[in-house]
Amino acid sequence: MTDQWWVGGRRRVEAAGAGPSGSKVFGALGHRWIVEDPLTQGDLAELEAQMGVRLPEEYRSFLLHVGAGGAGPAYGLFPVRRVQGRWRWEGDGADLADLSRLAEPFPDQGPDPKLLDDLLAQRPEEEDFDDIEDFDDAIEAWDERWEVVMFAPERTAGAIVISHQGCAQREWLIISGSHRGTVWSDCRVDDVDLAPLLDGDGMSVTFARWYTDWLEKAERTAMSAP
């Protein structure tokens, strides 16, 4: 039963937020230790019906027993909310996810590595241009080609953005496909493709592990002497 992951979870988050060093936890100034109310069974059923997919068990259990979002890793767990009768996730970069494609399997592979290597080799360098405006035009054209490959909509089908790490780096929860339930790092802003988060044994990190690992570390910091 995935519910066991979340026994006392909400109380633990609230206690950490009230700890003597709660403000020192990275990202706390962003999420402010607020945990939104949990979803009801009816809310969750409506959300899943709208998305056309059943959410991963650990995450759906979190939504029911802890909260719809808020305090969490980095700047917080993106909340899912009903806005004008439609459900959506809200946060910096949440709109990168195509909610109409959540039932599609998240791809097992990203762009062709050779294609990426070739594109990176063609990236303009400022020292190769006499005029800065010519360089700006060249790098803008290259960026457009790069984004077509790296940010193709099909690259993140079957996934949602759940957290912003800062500097346009984010983390995704995979909703459908062979990687369902795992969390992936998105550092495409630094020209690095999406990659699964791995634990010390090289195993993919699932949502519950992702959140509880953060909570344990946050508790140690928050409860320490100021």
Side-chain angles (χ1 to χ4, degrees):
M1 293 291 291
T2 56
D3 294 358
Q4 65 184 338
W5 283 97
W6 311 121
V7 174
R10 186 181 181 92
R11 291 193 300 274
R12 288 176 61 189
V13 173
E14 292 170 345
S21 296
S23 63
K24 293 183 179 180
V25 173
F26 176 76
L29 294 180
H31 57 66
R32 296 176 295 160
W33 291 105
I34 294 171
V35 183
E36 301 207 0
D37 290 340
L39 300 186
T40 66
Q41 289 284 357
D43 289 336
L44 182 59
E46 182 180 275
L47 166 63
E48 292 180 327
Q50 179 185 312
M51 301 302 163
V53 67
R54 182 181 176 89
L55 299 174
E57 297 304 320
E58 293 175 356
Y59 179 56
R60 70 193 311 274
S61 180
F62 180 94
L63 295 176
L64 290 171
H65 298 285
V66 181
Y75 292 101
L77 173 64
F78 286 179
V80 58
R81 296 170 176 151
R82 186 197 290 111
V83 180
Q84 296 181 344
R86 300 289 294 175
W87 289 93
R88 71 185 188 198
W89 283 266
E90 298 189 330
D92 186 344
D95 57 352
L96 290 171
D98 186 345
L99 303 186
S100 69
R101 304 182 68 169
L102 291 190
E104 296 181 27
F106 180 78
D108 290 328
Q109 296 180 331
D112 181 355
K114 184 178 185 306
L115 173 61
L116 296 182
D117 288 343
D118 289 345
L119 274 174
L120 286 172
Q122 297 167 25
R123 182 172 184 167
E125 299 294 340
E126 186 174 347
E127 58 266 25
D128 295 333
F129 293 81
D130 296 326
D131 191 322
I132 189 61
E133 292 184 354
D134 290 340
F135 169 71
D136 289 342
D137 290 342
I139 196 67
E140 181 177 350
W142 183 88
D143 282 340
E144 290 178 358
R145 294 171 60 201
W146 180 256
E147 290 184 6
V148 166
V149 175
M150 290 294 278
F151 289 87
E154 58 269 20
R155 180 68 189 100
T156 50
I160 58 171
V161 187
I162 56 170
S163 182
H164 181 230
Q165 308 296 300
C167 300
Q169 297 182 4
R170 301 177 175 88
E171 290 181 337
W172 294 69
L173 174 64
I174 311 308
I175 303 299
S176 301
S178 61
H179 302 286
R180 183 176 186 268
T182 61
V183 179
W184 286 51
S185 172
D186 182 358
C187 293
R188 288 177 293 175
V189 67
D190 296 322
D191 302 337
V192 178
D193 191 25
L194 282 81
L197 297 183
L198 303 176
D199 63 18
D201 297 322
M203 301 296 291
S204 294
V205 172
T206 64
F207 177 81
R209 179 69 180 272
W210 176 77
Y211 194 90
T212 54
D213 278 358
W214 164 79
L215 181 54
E216 290 172 1
K217 294 174 184 176
E219 287 173 320
R220 288 196 292 270
T221 298
M223 297 306 180
S224 63

